């Protein structure tokens, strides 16, 4: 993407742009982003002025509704489910037409130090595209700078982890393309985690993110043609320190021994002013980009067994990642528990699920608490699933294995509504 595209999107979302000018790579962007939720922040990092950074493009649910021109959750979830199930065929174009190689490797990239507790300088919107056998994958992975020729990558045990593992088992390093400056539709798709084999770039194209791709010169990896920066390189079998780093929970994610990324070549868009996305860890944008794409996946999983599902929220209180609220219109006994179990398998990182009736506003924490206060019976409505794979970020888990809890806060099946309906103010 380029600055003109960011300005156009900001205008479309009726957002003012706050230009910070040229800033130090430490903390300035973090402060400005947290202090200006409803302004799009743009800036250039001292010494990396050739590229413009931006943050706070999508910070509220209505920004997403506007981006997709929808008026309800159901409309949005159906649109995203349709894109997931019908990825668009990608059209290949000429790499040279869109990108040029530049001198230098990681030293030319805009690494930022977001928080004092972080172990180093990071790229937080880095999407890795990797291919294996007959399929390709696109997913977000943060990158910590070590030197011009070395970085470490946090690779949670999902699709890229699987592909890299196969390559390493075959005795080689894994060829990848690190991509920055994807458009918002391709970013959302890269966070959606469809079944392995479904190429997220095709989903992003179906969401409206454009179907034109170019193949990288060394590894022929398909990358969206409107990206800003591409780094071809290897995820090697070497490991080194990654972290500590502030995560989506606004906790310090522990230091780990993660794979080393070895860059080979950097290519930059021929657009006049390429941009990169500075996703400030823990910010609203981080929650929307990482958490929100899981909502339609939870919604369609619940809908398969509970036709009356109405809304799903990964709540801001759960940092958009660990806590889900699901509202349903019950049509048979036991559905609320089934909805909770369906959510567990749809979003494996989930920790707590609150199932409420369709009269409860999923965006009102007080109403959710009221439903728990008036419709739950602790001895039968709290289901604890012990020692299940969950989020590696959960401090109460051991490397992601922890407890999940389903809270059934619905009117008991068969009992009259009169007993549970909240009285309206006359
Ligand atoms: C490293 C991650 C997020 C962050 O840094 O905020 C992804 C964690 O994925 P889990 O499946 O929750 O372990
Ligand atoms: Mn995938």
């Amino acid at each position: 993407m380029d600055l003109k595209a960011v300005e156009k999107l900001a205008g479309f979302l009726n957002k003012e742009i706050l230009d910070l000018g040229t800033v130090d790579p430490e903390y300035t962007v973090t402060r400005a982003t947290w202090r200006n939720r409803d302004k799009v922040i743009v800036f250039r990092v001292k010494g990396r002025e050739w590229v413009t950074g931006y943050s706070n493009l999508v910070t509220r649910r209505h920004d997403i509704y506007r981006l997709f021109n929808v008026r309800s959750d159901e409309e949005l979830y159906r649109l995203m489910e349709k894109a997931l199930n019908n990825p668009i065929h990608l059209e290949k174009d000429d790499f040279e037409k869109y990108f040029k190689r530049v001198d230098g490797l990681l030293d030319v990239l805009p690494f930022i130090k977001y928080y004092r507790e972080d172990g180093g300088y990071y790229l937080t919107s880095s999407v890795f595209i990797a291919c294996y056998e007959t399929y390709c994958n696109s997913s977000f992975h943060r990158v910590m700078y070590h030197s011009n020729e070395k970085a470490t990558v946090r690779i949670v045990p999902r699709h890229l982890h699987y592909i890299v593992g196969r390559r390493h088992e075959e005795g080689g390093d894994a060829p990848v393309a690190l991509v920055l400056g994807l458009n918002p539709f391709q970013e959302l798709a890269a966070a959606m985690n469809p079944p392995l084999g479904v190429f997220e770039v095709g989903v992003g194209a179906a969401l409206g993110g454009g179907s034109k791709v170019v193949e990288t010169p060394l590894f022929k990896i398909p990358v969206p043609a409107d990206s800003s920066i591409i780094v071809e390189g290897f995820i090697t079998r070497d490991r080194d320190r990654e972290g500590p780093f502030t995560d989506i929970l606004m906790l310090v994610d522990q230091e780990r021994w993660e794979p080393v990324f070895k860059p080979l070549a950097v290519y930059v868009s021929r657009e006049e002013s390429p941009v990169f996305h500075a996703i400030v860890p823990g910010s609203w944008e981080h929650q929307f980009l990482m958490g929100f794409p899981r909502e339609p996946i939870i919604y369609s999983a619940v809908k398969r067994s509970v036709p009356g599902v109405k809304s799903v929220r990964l709540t801001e209180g759960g940092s958009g990642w660990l806590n889900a609220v699901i509202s349903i219109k019950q049509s048979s006994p036991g559905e609320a528990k089934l909805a909770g179990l369906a959510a567990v398998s749809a979003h494996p990182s989930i920790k707590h699920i609150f199932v409420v009736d369709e009269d409860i506003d999923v965006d009102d924490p007080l109403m959710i608490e009221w439903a728990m206060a008036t419709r739950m019976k602790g001895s039968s409505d709290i289901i604890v699933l012990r020692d299940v794979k969950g989020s590696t970020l959960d401090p109460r888990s051991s490397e992601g294995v922890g407890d999940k809890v389903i809270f059934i806060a619905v009117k008991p099946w068969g009992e009259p509504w009169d007993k549970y309906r909240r009285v309206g103010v006359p």
Side-chain angles (χ1 to χ4, degrees):
M1 267 212 316
D2 67 350
L3 187 54
K4 285 197 300 294
V6 171
E7 288 164 347
K8 193 171 164 203
L9 282 165
F12 181 70
L13 295 174
N14 298 319
K15 292 195 167 190
E16 199 187 311
I17 289 182
L18 174 61
D19 188 339
L20 306 179
T22 299
V23 298
D24 288 328
E26 296 87 13
Y27 317 134
T28 314
V29 174
T30 307
R31 286 191 202 102
T33 296
W34 278 108
R35 289 175 187 162
N36 298 279
R37 176 173 186 170
D38 294 307
K39 288 182 183 165
V40 176
I41 309 291
V42 298
F43 62 92
R44 280 145 310 277
V45 174
K46 211 173 276 176
R48 308 284 183 284
E49 291 86 347
W50 65 272
V51 62
T52 300
Y54 76 93
S55 71
N56 274 3
L57 186 64
V58 171
T59 58
R60 293 188 188 275
R61 186 168 289 269
H62 63 65
D63 294 336
I64 298 181
Y65 283 15
R66 189 133 171 68
L67 262 184
F68 288 102
N69 189 25
V70 296
R71 275 155 297 285
S72 75
D73 289 336
E74 201 135 2
E75 212 182 327
L76 183 55
Y77 296 153
R78 273 215 214 95
L79 181 150
M80 295 186 82
E81 193 180 5
K82 186 164 173 256
L84 269 173
N85 297 330
N86 307 281
I88 284 186
H89 175 74
L90 300 170
E91 306 145 47
K92 281 182 194 153
D93 205 335
D94 171 32
F95 186 86
E96 290 301 320
K97 192 169 137 189
Y98 295 86
F99 294 93
K100 61 186 183 229
R101 183 163 177 179
V102 297
D103 292 337
L105 293 170
L106 298 181
D107 279 349
V108 303
L109 299 183
F111 284 84
I112 287 177
K113 186 140 190 267
Y114 286 94
Y115 297 97
R116 295 188 191 289
E117 293 82 353
D118 295 348
Y121 291 69
Y122 270 84
L123 299 174
T124 56
S125 64
S126 23
V127 168
F128 281 79
I129 301 182
C131 301
Y132 184 66
E133 292 175 344
T134 59
Y135 58 84
C136 298
N137 193 76
S138 169
S139 50
F140 278 98
H141 300 274
R142 69 191 196 216
V143 178
M144 182 168 120
Y145 177 87
H146 281 253
S147 72
N148 185 43
E149 301 190 346
K150 179 179 176 182
T152 42
V153 190
R154 172 84 148 92
I155 304 183
V156 291
R158 287 199 276 273
H159 296 167
L160 180 66
H161 183 270
Y162 176 81
I163 291 170
V164 168
R166 299 295 72 69
R167 293 285 191 181
H168 289 175
E169 276 168 10
E170 292 163 3
D173 292 330
V176 295
L178 183 170
V179 187
L180 294 169
L182 286 171
N183 66 54
F185 301 100
Q186 288 295 349
E187 285 193 326
L188 273 174
M192 284 179 88
N193 203 38
L196 184 59
V198 175
F199 188 18
E200 287 81 357
V201 173
V203 176
L207 288 173
S211 57
K212 202 162 281 183
V213 293
V214 292
E215 288 189 340
T216 58
L218 297 174
F219 302 135
K220 305 298 174 215
I221 294 173
V223 172
D226 68 341
S227 311
S228 298
I229 301 167
I230 302 171
V231 186
E232 279 193 295
F234 286 113
I235 292 186
T236 70
R237 284 153 287 177
D238 299 335
R239 287 179 175 264
D240 204 330
R241 185 175 65 78
E242 189 276 331
F245 189 64
T246 306
D247 62 26
I248 194 170
L249 308 181
M250 284 301 276
L251 293 174
V252 178
D253 187 18
Q254 68 186 60
E255 179 178 309
R256 289 180 174 81
W257 217 233
E258 292 285 340
V260 167
F261 173 62
K262 180 175 173 35
L264 298 173
V266 176
Y267 313 95
V268 174
S269 163
R270 294 184 185 279
E271 292 282 358
E272 194 184 313
S273 46
V275 296
F276 79 99
H277 197 175
I279 302 175
V280 174
S283 67
W284 306 281
E285 200 164 40
H286 189 180
Q287 293 191 21
F288 274 113
L289 268 176
M290 183 171 143
F292 167 74
R294 300 301 168 95
E295 286 183 6
I297 292 180
I298 296 169
Y299 177 83
S300 50
V302 173
K303 196 150 183 78
R304 276 190 206 99
S305 40
V306 180
V309 61
K310 188 176 167 212
S311 271
V312 171
R313 287 289 184 277
L314 287 172
T315 61
E316 196 168 337
S319 287
W321 194 243
L322 294 187
N323 292 355
V325 177
I326 302 170
S327 63
I328 63 171
K329 181 175 178 46
Q330 297 181 71
S331 56
S332 62
E335 276 190 331
K337 282 183 190 172
L338 203 53
L341 293 168
V344 166
S345 57
H347 175 35
S349 307
I350 205 163
K351 185 173 181 181
H352 301 130
I353 302 109
F354 303 85
V355 186
V356 297
D357 290 299
E358 81 279 10
D359 66 325
I360 298 298
D361 177 357
V362 291
D363 290 315
D364 184 342
L366 292 180
M367 285 310 294
I368 293 159
E369 186 181 346
W370 179 82
M372 291 176 74
T374 60
R375 297 176 182 175
M376 253 178 64
K377 184 181 172 203
S379 58
S380 55
D381 294 334
I382 299 177
I383 299 134
V384 179
L385 306 172
R386 296 176 196 284
D387 300 327
V388 189
K389 182 179 175 194
S391 174
T392 57
L393 305 176
D394 177 4
R396 293 301 311 272
S397 76
S398 49
E399 259 317 296
V401 179
D403 291 356
K404 298 182 193 289
V405 188
I406 303 172
F407 298 90
I408 308 294
V410 298
K411 175 189 76 64
W413 180 259
E415 289 205 24
W417 261 111
D418 300 357
K419 195 174 158 190
Y420 295 91
R421 192 185 307 286
R422 187 178 173 91
V423 173
V425 177

